[in-house]
Amino acid sequence: MKTLIVYTYPNHKSLNYAFLQEVIKGCRENPAIEEIQILDLYEEQFDPRLIFHEHKRRRDMYRDPKMEKYRQQLSWADQLVFVYPIWWGRPPAMLLGYIDQLFAANFAYRDTKGLFPVGLLKGKSVVCVSTMKGPTNYPFLWLNNAHKILMKRALFKFVGMKKVKFFEFGNMESKRGKQQQKLNKVYRYFSKVAY
């Protein structure tokens, strides 16, 4: 299995970075994972802005030469891992900008004459590791599970990825947030998961 880890947090001295390190450590110890690539969107200085004009049309995003490296990474991976905080009930704008540009028509999906498109990223699995300041059940109780619906149904299922797992960790700024237990949980999962 080939794993692409997409990290979206601007600070390398943070709990999110500690989660990234546990994902990497677990993947490196897992005999089912033969290769990993790490994409740090902030370190990469990824530009999340969508820019369209008469010379750059949205329908041609799947051919944008600036995105070729990232398209190759997505094509290469059997498993995608996203590590990010939940801000205002959703992933950071940096990650959403990556998704907007990479999960483009004729690369991630193809429109059909029917109601739904054909997902072109079938067979890949996805794991989202996310942190938040508020309680773990906050997105479910107050936001009608908007984060998971956005990621799983509106994005991953749309492009053909059906195997999706979430680690949503709340209370991460609390002294009683059980951060080490949660870090250990992520490490154990990635050290044993088989595609």
Side-chain angles (χ1 to χ4, degrees):
M1 175 168 50
K2 296 171 183 162
T3 298
L4 172 63
I5 305 166
V6 180
Y7 175 68
T8 312
Y9 198 76
N11 186 353
H12 282 196
K13 294 180 180 177
S14 65
L15 186 59
N16 277 278
Y17 192 72
F19 275 108
L20 171 65
Q21 296 310 306
E22 294 303 310
V23 170
I24 293 168
K25 180 179 167 190
C27 287
R28 287 188 174 147
E29 293 178 15
N30 187 333
I33 297 175
E34 60 187 83
E35 287 181 72
I36 64 171
Q37 288 187 33
I38 301 153
L39 173 59
D40 182 332
L41 292 176
Y42 281 93
E43 195 171 80
E44 185 87 4
Q45 297 184 343
F46 185 85
D47 184 355
R49 297 173 302 153
L50 284 175
I51 298 170
F52 301 111
H53 45 69
E54 62 274 9
H55 304 294
K56 186 175 181 181
R57 298 176 301 181
R58 186 160 193 246
R59 66 176 166 253
D60 296 329
M61 282 189 345
Y62 74 101
R63 293 190 294 217
D64 185 345
K66 290 181 181 176
M67 296 295 119
E68 180 58 26
K69 164 184 153 180
Y70 306 112
R71 285 193 298 271
Q72 286 179 5
Q73 285 178 322
L74 280 176
S75 297
W76 167 87
D78 301 307
Q79 175 180 243
L80 304 174
V81 180
F82 295 94
V83 180
Y84 57 93
I86 296 176
W87 290 335
W88 299 107
R90 54 141 183 86
M94 177 73 82
L95 180 55
L96 293 176
Y98 170 85
I99 288 165
D100 286 346
Q101 293 178 72
L102 269 293
F103 288 69
N106 298 314
F107 172 71
Y109 68 93
R110 182 179 307 111
D111 286 318
T112 65
K113 295 186 190 231
L115 186 58
F116 296 105
V118 173
L120 301 178
L121 299 178
K122 290 178 183 170
K124 298 180 186 297
S125 65
V126 180
V127 182
C128 294
V129 179
S130 56
T131 62
M132 63 191 122
K133 178 180 177 180
T136 299
N137 291 328
Y138 174 78
F140 178 74
L141 296 173
W142 292 99
L143 302 175
N144 296 319
N145 227 14
H147 168 246
K148 286 184 180 175
I149 290 170
L150 167 72
M151 299 302 280
K152 186 172 185 176
R153 196 179 304 163
L155 172 62
F156 299 130
K157 189 174 180 185
F158 192 85
V159 298
M161 295 187 278
K162 295 181 180 174
K163 187 177 178 185
V164 181
K165 178 161 182 67
F166 289 91
F167 289 98
E168 282 184 338
F169 296 122
N171 299 313
M172 290 293 89
E173 292 185 17
S174 168
K175 291 180 181 176
R176 296 185 304 254
K178 300 180 182 175
Q179 289 87 346
Q180 193 56 56
Q181 279 182 256
K182 293 168 182 176
L183 288 164
N184 292 342
K185 182 176 184 178
V186 165
Y187 160 73
R188 284 193 306 272
Y189 175 82
F190 283 98
S191 66
K192 295 176 183 169
V193 67
Y195 185 61

